[in-house]
Coordinates of all heavy atoms in Angstrom, one line a residue:
A16 N 3.8 -7.8 -19.6 CA 2.7 -7.5 -20.5 C 2.4 -6.0 -20.4 O 2.2 -5.3 -21.4 CB 1.5 -8.3 -20.2
G17 N 2.4 -5.4 -19.2 CA 2.2 -4.0 -19.0 C 3.3 -3.2 -19.7 O 3.0 -2.2 -20.3
L18 N 4.5 -3.6 -19.6 CA 5.6 -2.9 -20.2 C 5.5 -3.0 -21.7 O 5.8 -2.1 -22.4 CB 6.9 -3.5 -19.7 CG 8.2 -2.9 -20.3 CD1 8.3 -1.4 -19.8 CD2 9.4 -3.7 -19.8
A19 N 5.1 -4.2 -22.2 CA 4.9 -4.3 -23.7 C 3.8 -3.4 -24.2 O 4.0 -2.8 -25.3 CB 4.6 -5.8 -24.0
V20 N 2.7 -3.3 -23.5 CA 1.6 -2.5 -23.9 C 2.1 -1.0 -23.9 O 1.8 -0.2 -24.8 CB 0.4 -2.7 -23.1 CG1 -0.7 -1.7 -23.4 CG2 -0.2 -4.1 -23.4
W21 N 2.8 -0.6 -22.8 CA 3.3 0.8 -22.7 C 4.2 1.1 -23.8 O 4.2 2.3 -24.3 CB 4.0 0.9 -21.3 CG 4.6 2.3 -21.2 CD1 3.9 3.4 -20.8 CD2 5.9 2.6 -21.4 NE1 4.8 4.5 -20.7 CE2 6.1 4.0 -21.1 CE3 7.1 1.9 -21.8 CZ2 7.3 4.7 -21.2 CZ3 8.3 2.6 -21.9 CH2 8.4 4.0 -21.6
S22 N 5.1 0.2 -24.3 CA 6.1 0.5 -25.2 C 5.6 0.8 -26.6 O 6.3 1.2 -27.5 CB 7.2 -0.6 -25.3 OG 6.6 -1.7 -25.8
I23 N 4.3 0.5 -26.9 CA 3.7 0.8 -28.2 C 3.6 2.3 -28.4 O 3.0 3.0 -27.7 CB 2.4 0.1 -28.4 CG1 2.5 -1.4 -28.2 CG2 1.7 0.5 -29.7 CD1 1.2 -2.1 -28.1
D24 N 4.3 2.8 -29.5 CA 4.3 4.2 -29.8 C 4.8 5.1 -28.7 O 4.2 6.2 -28.6 CB 2.9 4.7 -30.3 CG 2.5 4.1 -31.7 OD1 3.5 3.8 -32.4 OD2 1.3 4.0 -31.9
V25 N 5.7 4.7 -27.9 CA 6.2 5.5 -26.8 C 7.0 6.8 -27.4 O 6.9 7.8 -26.8 CB 7.1 4.7 -25.9 CG1 8.4 4.4 -26.4 CG2 7.2 5.5 -24.5
R26 N 7.6 6.7 -28.5 CA 8.4 7.8 -29.0 C 7.4 8.9 -29.4 O 7.7 10.1 -29.2 CB 9.2 7.4 -30.2 CG 10.4 6.7 -29.8 CD 11.3 6.5 -31.0 NE 12.5 5.7 -30.6 CZ 13.6 5.8 -31.2 NH1 13.8 6.5 -32.3 NH2 14.6 5.0 -30.8
K27 N 6.3 8.6 -30.0 CA 5.3 9.6 -30.4 C 4.7 10.3 -29.1 O 4.4 11.5 -29.2 CB 4.2 9.0 -31.2 CG 4.6 8.5 -32.6 CD 3.4 7.9 -33.3 CE 3.9 7.5 -34.7 NZ 2.8 6.8 -35.4
R28 N 4.5 9.5 -28.0 CA 4.0 10.1 -26.8 C 5.0 11.0 -26.1 O 4.6 12.0 -25.5 CB 3.5 9.1 -25.9 CG 2.2 8.4 -26.4 CD 1.5 7.6 -25.3 NE 2.4 6.8 -24.5 CZ 2.6 5.5 -24.7 NH1 2.0 4.8 -25.6 NH2 3.4 4.8 -23.9
I29 N 6.3 10.7 -26.2 CA 7.3 11.5 -25.5 C 7.6 12.7 -26.3 O 7.6 13.8 -25.8 CB 8.6 10.7 -25.3 CG1 8.3 9.6 -24.2 CG2 9.7 11.6 -24.8 CD1 9.5 8.7 -23.9
W30 N 7.8 12.6 -27.6 CA 8.2 13.7 -28.5 C 7.0 14.1 -29.3 O 6.7 13.6 -30.4 CB 9.3 13.3 -29.4 CG 10.6 13.1 -28.7 CD1 11.1 11.9 -28.3 CD2 11.4 14.1 -28.2 NE1 12.2 12.1 -27.6 CE2 12.5 13.5 -27.5 CE3 11.4 15.5 -28.2 CZ2 13.5 14.2 -26.9 CZ3 12.5 16.2 -27.6 CH2 13.5 15.5 -26.9
R31 N 6.2 15.0 -28.8 CA 5.1 15.6 -29.5 C 5.5 16.6 -30.5 O 6.6 17.2 -30.4 CB 4.1 16.2 -28.5 CG 3.8 15.4 -27.4 CD 2.4 14.8 -27.4 NE 2.3 13.7 -26.5 CZ 1.3 13.5 -25.7 NH1 0.3 14.4 -25.7 NH2 1.3 12.5 -24.9
F32 N 4.8 16.9 -31.6 CA 5.2 17.8 -32.6 C 5.4 19.2 -32.1 O 4.5 19.8 -31.5 CB 4.1 17.8 -33.7 CG 4.5 18.6 -34.9 CD1 5.5 18.3 -35.7 CD2 3.8 19.8 -35.1 CE1 5.8 19.1 -36.8 CE2 4.1 20.6 -36.2 CZ 5.2 20.2 -37.1
E33 N 6.6 19.7 -32.3 CA 7.0 21.1 -31.9 C 6.7 21.4 -30.4 O 6.4 22.5 -30.1 CB 6.3 22.1 -32.8 CG 6.8 22.1 -34.2 CD 6.1 23.2 -35.0 OE1 5.5 24.0 -34.5 OE2 6.3 23.2 -36.3
Q34 N 6.9 20.4 -29.6 CA 6.8 20.6 -28.2 C 8.0 20.0 -27.5 O 8.7 19.2 -28.0 CB 5.5 20.0 -27.6 CG 4.3 20.6 -28.1 CD 3.0 19.9 -27.5 OE1 3.2 18.9 -26.8 NE2 1.9 20.4 -27.9
A35 N 8.1 20.4 -26.2 CA 9.2 19.8 -25.4 C 8.8 18.4 -25.1 O 7.6 18.0 -25.2 CB 9.4 20.7 -24.1
P36 N 9.8 17.6 -24.6 CA 9.5 16.2 -24.3 C 8.5 16.2 -23.1 O 8.5 17.0 -22.2 CB 10.8 15.6 -23.9 CG 11.8 16.6 -24.2 CD 11.2 17.9 -24.5
D37 N 7.6 15.2 -23.2 CA 6.6 15.0 -22.1 C 7.1 13.9 -21.2 O 6.9 12.7 -21.5 CB 5.2 14.7 -22.8 CG 4.1 14.5 -21.7 OD1 4.3 15.0 -20.6 OD2 3.1 14.0 -22.1
W38 N 7.7 14.3 -20.1 CA 8.3 13.3 -19.2 C 7.3 12.5 -18.4 O 7.7 11.6 -17.7 CB 9.4 13.9 -18.4 CG 10.5 14.4 -19.2 CD1 10.9 15.7 -19.4 CD2 11.5 13.7 -20.0 NE1 11.9 15.8 -20.3 CE2 12.3 14.6 -20.7 CE3 11.6 12.3 -20.2 CZ2 13.3 14.2 -21.5 CZ3 12.7 11.9 -21.1 CH2 13.5 12.8 -21.7
S39 N 6.1 13.0 -18.3 CA 5.1 12.3 -17.6 C 4.8 10.9 -18.1 O 4.3 10.0 -17.4 CB 3.8 13.1 -17.5 OG 3.2 13.1 -18.8
V40 N 5.2 10.7 -19.4 CA 5.1 9.4 -20.0 C 5.9 8.4 -19.2 O 5.5 7.2 -19.0 CB 5.5 9.4 -21.5 CG1 5.6 8.0 -22.0 CG2 4.5 10.3 -22.2
L41 N 7.1 8.8 -18.7 CA 8.0 7.9 -18.0 C 7.6 7.8 -16.5 O 7.6 6.7 -16.0 CB 9.4 8.4 -18.1 CG 10.0 8.4 -19.5 CD1 11.4 8.9 -19.5 CD2 10.0 6.9 -20.0
Y42 N 7.3 8.9 -15.9 CA 7.2 8.8 -14.4 C 5.7 8.6 -14.0 O 5.4 8.3 -12.8 CB 7.7 10.0 -13.7 CG 7.0 11.4 -13.9 CD1 5.8 11.7 -13.3 CD2 7.6 12.3 -14.8 CE1 5.2 12.9 -13.5 CE2 7.0 13.5 -15.0 CZ 5.8 13.8 -14.3 OH 5.2 15.0 -14.5
A43 N 4.8 8.7 -14.9 CA 3.4 8.5 -14.6 C 2.8 7.3 -15.3 O 2.3 6.3 -14.7 CB 2.5 9.7 -14.9
E44 N 2.9 7.2 -16.6 CA 2.3 6.2 -17.4 C 3.0 4.8 -17.2 O 2.4 3.8 -17.1 CB 2.3 6.5 -18.9 CG 1.3 7.6 -19.2 CD 1.3 7.9 -20.7 OE1 1.8 7.1 -21.5 OE2 0.8 9.0 -21.1
L45 N 4.4 4.8 -17.2 CA 5.1 3.6 -17.1 C 4.8 2.8 -15.8 O 4.4 1.6 -15.9 CB 6.6 3.8 -17.3 CG 7.5 2.6 -17.1 CD1 7.2 1.6 -18.2 CD2 9.0 3.0 -17.2
P46 N 4.9 3.4 -14.6 CA 4.6 2.6 -13.4 C 3.1 2.2 -13.4 O 2.8 1.1 -12.9 CB 4.9 3.6 -12.3 CG 5.7 4.7 -12.8 CD 5.4 4.7 -14.3
L47 N 2.2 3.0 -13.9 CA 0.8 2.7 -13.9 C 0.5 1.5 -14.8 O -0.3 0.6 -14.4 CB -0.1 3.9 -14.2 CG -0.2 4.9 -13.2 CD1 -1.0 6.1 -13.7 CD2 -0.8 4.4 -11.9

Side-chain angles (χ1 to χ4, degrees):
L18 183 63
V20 169
W21 174 82
S22 67
I23 297 171
D24 290 334
V25 74
R26 284 189 185 204
K27 289 181 183 178
R28 289 194 316 259
I29 290 178
W30 293 99
R31 311 254 166 134
F32 182 69
E33 292 185 7
Q34 292 180 357
D37 184 13
W38 296 112
S39 69
V40 171
L41 294 177
Y42 68 79
E44 289 182 16
L45 177 60
L47 287 175

